[in-house]
Amino acid sequence: MASSENTAVSIIIPTYNRGHTIRRALRSALRQTISPKEIIVIDDGSSDDTERIVKRIMSHHPEVRLEKNIHNSGSGVSRNTGISIASGEFISFLDSDDVYPDRGSLKIMYDLAHKNGLSICGSLRELKIGWKIIKTNDFREECRKSPEGPILEYRNYQQDYDFTSYIFKRSFLIDNDLMFPSYRRYQDVPFFVNCMIRSEKFCIAPICGYRYTINRKHPVVYDDRNTEDLIKGITETIRIASKNDLPILLTRTIKRLNNEYHKAISSNYERGNKRIPILLREADDAINRNLEGCENLSVTLIDNIVVK
């Protein structure tokens, strides 16, 4: 295996039963102009043809390697495996149904991180819904003001989503013990937020570096485990925001809990999961209402589901 000194970026791809999309993800990773690179696929117990497809690609591309989980453990655990065995100086996370739309995105982010001596560099991104491509607005204005790639402070933005649009210096992750919690859902947000808090500053490459696919034909299934882990991940984020005096993040997280995930949580409760009110109260108790603008924050979802 190459050492971290001569491998620029390790691309980590967790996958589970994505034989129908893994070729596309790997193709976009292989097209990246940065060199040398390694591509680590973590097969999280797939029962479809994912392994066969990856091995066929490996036979022509030695930079691709395959690791297998004995049991389905979740994407967070799989990404941690990738971090632990990676040889790259930087880590990039690619979901197995997403792509890098720009061939040079990793090279541009890598060079920008080096130029500015930073451990985290991100890029703009876009969403793919069916055949429709939507450009998101994150940091586009900042990039217009600073076309060479702005350096930003996390405290001024406090974003929580889109960690796949970033690269992370592996030594920074290892030295600060920054890993994904084992939640089945919402494990990426605590990881990302902790990384950004620890780094304080980051830079943004003025290119579209990531395309996130929303597949309405295969929506996320919120069974008891997924729903409980969702609330636990949100609660951990609430605690992080409360502890680190991040009112924007705290407000954003409470809004996501009350609105964005209202239907999934309520439906799970109505199917008989009696732990939901307990977990929601723990989330409410974690709110630091002493932060500016957070005095009236609450988990209104508690009252909504109990009343129903």
Side-chain angles (χ1 to χ4, degrees):
M1 183 189 299
S3 69
S4 60
E5 284 74 22
N6 58 25
T7 301
V9 173
S10 295
I11 302 170
I12 297 174
I13 307 177
T15 187
Y16 174 67
N17 287 344
R18 286 293 183 269
H20 57 293
T21 63
I22 191 68
R23 279 193 195 90
R24 184 179 63 204
L26 280 169
R27 192 180 304 123
S28 80
L30 288 164
R31 288 177 67 245
Q32 286 297 297
T33 57
I34 194 165
S35 180
K37 59 179 177 286
E38 69 174 350
I39 303 167
I40 305 173
V41 179
I42 312 292
D43 185 354
D44 194 23
S46 296
S47 58
D48 65 355
D49 58 350
T50 294
E51 181 179 0
R52 178 183 61 81
I53 292 169
V54 174
K55 285 184 174 179
R56 180 180 297 176
I57 294 172
M58 287 171 59
S59 65
H60 300 285
H61 297 280
E63 64 266 50
V64 179
R65 58 185 291 194
L66 175 66
E67 298 289 331
K68 294 190 64 178
N69 293 338
I70 298 176
H71 305 291
N72 179 261
S73 303
S75 58
V77 172
S78 297
R79 293 186 189 107
N80 288 341
T81 298
I83 294 171
S84 67
I85 64 176
S87 65
E89 182 183 357
F90 278 80
I91 300 288
S92 175
F93 300 102
L94 175 65
D95 286 348
S96 57
D97 53 354
D98 296 338
V99 298
Y100 301 117
D102 188 308
R103 295 180 70 242
S105 60
L106 293 184
K107 178 70 164 61
I108 293 171
M109 283 191 282
Y110 178 84
D111 289 345
L112 194 57
H114 264 274
K115 175 184 175 182
N116 295 296
L118 295 172
S119 297
I120 299 178
C121 183
S123 66
L124 307 178
R125 74 165 195 157
E126 61 190 22
L127 304 178
K128 184 174 187 292
I129 307 175
W131 295 103
K132 188 175 183 181
I133 303 293
I134 301 173
K135 304 287 186 181
T136 62
N137 293 319
D138 297 46
F139 305 120
R140 292 183 186 275
E141 185 61 33
E142 286 84 349
C143 288
R144 280 192 286 268
K145 293 177 182 177
S146 303
E148 297 300 315
I151 298 176
L152 307 173
E153 293 190 17
Y154 179 68
R155 184 164 293 277
N156 294 332
Y157 297 91
Q158 302 180 33
Q159 72 275 31
D160 55 350
Y161 278 12
D162 307 338
F163 80 102
T164 47
S165 303
Y166 294 75
I167 63 171
F168 305 83
K169 195 166 188 177
R170 182 177 181 271
S171 60
F172 166 75
L173 299 180
I174 299 299
D175 293 346
N176 291 285
D177 195 26
L178 294 164
M179 294 289 175
F180 291 82
S182 59
Y183 310 132
R184 293 288 181 144
R185 306 299 308 171
Y186 219 82
Q187 80 291 134
D188 52 324
V189 176
F191 166 80
F192 180 53
V193 168
N194 277 325
C195 288
M196 298 301 270
I197 290 171
R198 192 62 59 91
S199 68
E200 297 184 356
K201 293 184 178 181
F202 62 102
C203 49
I204 292 291
I207 47 103
C208 184
Y210 198 88
R211 179 181 296 160
Y212 181 82
T213 303
I214 297 177
N215 191 339
R216 290 175 173 168
K217 293 182 179 180
H218 300 91
V220 175
V221 176
Y222 281 99
D223 56 14
D224 286 357
R225 171 70 186 275
N226 282 352
T227 307
E228 291 180 19
D229 279 3
L230 166 68
I231 301 172
K232 290 175 183 178
I234 290 174
T235 301
E236 183 171 344
T237 306
I238 292 171
R239 291 193 178 106
I240 294 169
S242 295
K243 177 182 177 182
N244 290 278
D245 298 330
L246 299 172
I248 299 173
L249 175 62
L250 181 57
T251 302
R252 179 176 288 136
T253 304
I254 296 299
K255 286 183 177 179
R256 292 198 190 282
L257 177 57
N258 286 331
N259 301 318
E260 185 175 337
Y261 295 105
H262 181 284
K263 183 177 179 180
I265 294 172
S266 297
S267 297
N268 185 257
Y269 174 71
E270 290 167 2
R271 290 195 299 270
N273 189 342
K274 302 305 181 184
R275 281 187 47 78
I276 296 300
I278 298 171
L279 293 172
L280 290 176
R281 288 190 178 93
E282 290 177 0
D284 191 77
D285 290 341
I287 299 172
N288 179 2
R289 295 180 177 85
N290 292 320
L291 296 183
E292 182 179 357
C294 299
E295 299 84 0
N296 298 316
L297 286 182
S298 66
V299 180
T300 58
L301 191 53
I302 299 174
D303 297 330
N304 291 341
I305 66 172
V306 171
V307 169
K308 292 176 68 175

